[in-house]
Every structure is written in structure tokens, then in C-alpha cells.
Amino acid sequence: MNQTAFLNLVLPFKDKLYRLAKRLLVSNEEAEDATQEILLKLWSNKTKIGSYKNVEAFAMTMTKNYCFDRLKSKQAQNLRIVHSNYKDESIELQKKIEHQDSLDWVGKLMQQLPSQQRMIMQLRDIEQYEFSDIAKVLEMKETAVRVNLSRARKTIREQLIKKHNYGIK
Amino acid sequence: MELNNIEKLIEKYLEAETSIEEEKELRSYFSSPNVAPHLKQYKYLFQYFTIAKNETSNKSVTLKTRKINFKWLTVAASFILAIGFYTFSEVKNNNQEKEALQAYFQTKEALQLLSSNFNTGTEKMLYLNKFDNTKNQIFKTNH
């Protein structure tokens, strides 16, 4: 397999790896490093790629494991990955800011979920994976995936309602 | 889209029983401008999902680094090997010289020892000559 063939295989799901990594690691830079690392690992094992049934699912699992390793090592060092993705919001209208704020809020709510629920929500609600694929990626049972997803969605909904009704009720 | 239907879908959605298709329906409903006011909180949720899906990594993939490393590795390895051979042969040459010198000194010493022993032998021979002379004198006088 040469480089272009590899890239053609890998690029369609590269951003999915990135988004999953970002969901877990929060920081843009960390997520980019993780993506790069995973793709390099795949590239160095390119002779085996043919034997994987589903390269995308395999890569997603690798990303998950890699991110957990990263988080573990950061915790061991008593460090927390600091999230500081600055944005220029100077020209935005008040309404747009409020809107954006509410959307960011959803992201923050997701961040508060346990990492497993967060990953399931990422894979299902954002990447729109089938339950069987999620089960494969996360090495879980399908029923467990559903239960966790339901819990995550309900938690988010309650938080959103709380936020929405703040000051009214 | 019927509101009743959407409410049912949301119930199913919360129980994680919706299919991908049904979730797409929900998404498209909440991305439209006329969302029922009592469902407004879901709007942010589904809009967030749509936006989050469009997030991309800006960094391009680089795969070449390892190849270059490998190339330089071979160069470095051959260089080290060359130096290794050179120093090894140097050391060997030195050793041979030393050995030869040592052997030379040893033989020299041995020869010196031999010659000195030989010399003491000839000194003793001088006594023998004296003895011979005196013997001759005695025999001459007797004749």
C-alpha cells in the first residue's frame, strides 16, 4: 500500500477520530496530536490493514484507548489539560452571542458526563453510528450502549430544561 | 411535520430507541425556524450536534517523518560501522607491533643469557689451559 492509497482510505474518517479525541481530551492541540499519532500508528502497521474488518471502527477504538492513556498520564502528573480555544467574537450581535452561548452550553453539559456516556453520545448523536458499530468501537454490549445513551440524553435534557427555565420558575 | 409525531419521537429518543433515520428527522425539524416553544430547549441540543459534526482538524497528516528517519538511520549506521572498522584495525595493528617488540626483547634477553653463560664457560676453559701448560712442563722435564 502506498501513501496516496493509505490517505484515501484514512482521510474520510480522520475528522471523526479528531472529534472523538477532542470530546475526550477537550483541547484542540491534544486532539490533533492524538489524531496524528493514531494515523502514524496505522501507517506503520499498513501491512496488516487488509486483515482488519472495519478500519474505521478499529481506528476509533485505537483513538479511544490512546485518549484514555493520555488522560491517565496527565492525571498521574497532577496536570489537567487546559482548554483554551480562543475565538474572535467581536462583531457578533447580542442575539447571536446568546445563541452561541446556548450551543456552547450543550458542549459543556456533554463535558460533564462520564467519559463513556460522552463517547457514546459523540458516536451516536454526532457521528450517527449504528448501535452495533458503537458496541464494536467501545468493546461493549449493544444493550449497555443503549442504556448509557438513554441516561446521557436524559441528563442533558434535564440540565437544558434547568437552564432554560432559570429565573422563570 | 406533525407536532404529536415529534413529541413521540423525542420520547423514543430519550429512551435511546430511535433509529438513525428518526434521529435525522428530529434534526431537520429542530433546524427549521418554527419550533414549538415548549420544545425550544431541544433545539440547541440538535443544532449543537449538527455543528459539532462539521468540526474538522486543521492539521494535515504527515507520514513522511518515519521514512526520513530511516534513511538517516542507515547513513548514521554505515558511518558508525566505518569508524568501528577503522579503529578496530588500528588497535589490531598496534597490538601486532607490541607483540613483535615484546618477542624481540624476549629473544634478545635469551640470547644475552646464553652468551653470558657461554662466556663463563670460556673463562673456565682458561684454567684448563693453565692446567695443560703445567702438565706439559712436568712431562717435558721427565723426558
Side-chain angles (χ1 to χ4, degrees):
Chain A
M1 183 179 282
N2 65 9
Q3 204 163 320
T4 46
F6 176 76
L7 285 177
N8 284 338
L9 178 74
V10 148
L11 284 184
F13 60 81
K14 178 192 146 207
D15 285 328
K16 289 185 187 174
L17 302 183
Y18 168 72
R19 289 192 291 259
L20 179 65
K22 200 188 161 192
R23 185 64 61 200
L24 288 167
L25 300 175
V26 183
S27 140
N28 280 347
E29 286 78 20
E30 281 284 342
E32 262 159 14
D33 287 351
T35 320
Q36 171 74 28
E37 198 62 33
I38 297 302
L39 292 182
L40 264 182
K41 270 185 194 167
L42 274 180
W43 172 244
S44 58
N45 283 330
K46 58 182 182 291
T47 45
K48 285 189 215 153
I49 265 184
S51 65
Y52 304 144
K53 270 183 204 154
N54 185 343
V55 182
E56 183 178 329
F58 183 76
M60 288 298 255
T61 310
M62 275 172 80
T63 309
K64 180 201 83 178
N65 292 335
Y66 179 82
C67 289
F68 279 161
D69 284 351
R70 286 296 295 164
L71 287 172
K72 245 185 234 166
S73 71
K74 292 277 164 188
Q75 273 168 0
Q77 290 164 23
N78 257 340
L79 280 174
R80 281 215 140 182
I81 301 169
V82 181
H83 169 55
S84 52
N85 304 321
Y86 299 109
K87 263 185 200 161
D88 183 26
E89 286 179 302
S90 50
I91 334 163
E92 291 200 345
L93 296 167
Q94 185 61 29
K95 211 178 178 184
K96 256 193 171 176
I97 291 173
E98 256 173 37
H99 184 75
Q100 183 63 41
D101 210 39
S102 298
L103 289 178
D104 281 349
W105 184 251
V106 179
K108 277 178 194 153
L109 288 180
M110 271 185 86
Q111 220 50 60
Q112 285 165 8
L113 293 172
S115 54
Q116 194 161 50
Q117 291 183 15
R118 216 191 303 164
M119 278 191 297
I120 294 174
M121 221 173 164
Q122 169 76 23
L123 293 179
R124 177 68 182 191
D125 282 329
I126 294 170
E127 309 296 357
Q128 292 172 310
Y129 274 38
E130 290 292 347
F131 284 117
S132 55
D133 290 330
I134 297 173
K136 218 178 283 165
V137 168
L138 300 184
E139 295 154 318
M140 294 168 69
K141 283 199 173 145
E142 243 184 272
T143 46
V145 172
R146 276 178 200 270
V147 168
N148 274 301
L149 181 61
S150 171
R151 264 182 216 154
R153 282 171 174 174
K154 281 175 180 166
T155 314
I156 296 275
R157 184 201 51 175
E158 267 159 38
Q159 296 287 329
L160 274 174
I161 289 173
K162 227 188 251 172
K163 158 102 175 163
H164 195 67
N165 292 338
Y166 187 76
I168 299 172
K169 276 180 188 172
Chain B
M1 186 81 53
E2 224 180 300
L3 192 60
N4 206 0
N5 189 23
I6 292 295
E7 277 171 357
K8 265 184 199 164
L9 276 185
I10 286 176
E11 280 309 308
K12 266 177 91 183
Y13 171 78
L14 289 173
E15 296 301 325
E17 281 163 359
T18 39
S19 67
I20 296 278
E21 284 309 310
E22 287 168 329
E23 280 169 24
K24 272 184 190 158
E25 234 171 82
L26 280 175
R27 261 195 214 205
S28 68
Y29 172 76
F30 283 108
S31 62
S32 68
N34 36 1
V35 176
H38 68 288
L39 295 177
K40 215 184 160 194
Q41 66 269 26
Y42 295 109
K43 191 176 151 186
Y44 296 122
L45 186 62
F46 287 98
Q47 281 185 355
Y48 174 76
F49 292 156
T50 319
I51 288 169
K53 201 184 176 175
N54 291 328
E55 194 174 357
T56 53
S57 126
N58 301 319
K59 219 168 152 188
S60 54
V61 195
T62 45
L63 298 171
K64 283 183 181 167
T65 39
R66 289 211 175 174
K67 256 190 178 171
I68 290 168
N69 275 351
F70 193 67
K71 220 185 257 173
W72 282 110
L73 204 70
T74 51
V75 172
S78 54
F79 194 66
I80 289 166
L81 214 64
I83 288 178
F85 270 123
Y86 181 71
T87 45
F88 180 68
S89 56
E90 273 301 272
V91 168
K92 211 177 168 188
N93 276 349
N94 270 354
N95 273 356
Q96 270 179 338
E97 247 170 58
K98 265 186 203 162
E99 269 169 29
L101 214 64
Q102 214 175 4
Y104 169 71
F105 280 124
Q106 269 176 352
T107 42
K108 204 172 165 186
E109 222 172 306
L111 285 175
Q112 257 170 355
L113 199 73
L114 191 74
S115 63
S116 65
N117 281 346
F118 203 69
N119 280 345
T120 48
T122 45
E123 269 170 32
K124 293 286 184 292
M125 286 286 276
L126 283 179
Y127 285 111
L128 209 66
N129 267 351
K130 247 183 203 170
F131 176 74
D132 213 30
N133 281 343
T134 41
K135 185 200 80 181
N136 280 346
Q137 278 174 352
I138 290 164
F139 274 105
K140 264 180 195 169
T141 47
N142 281 357
H143 273 285

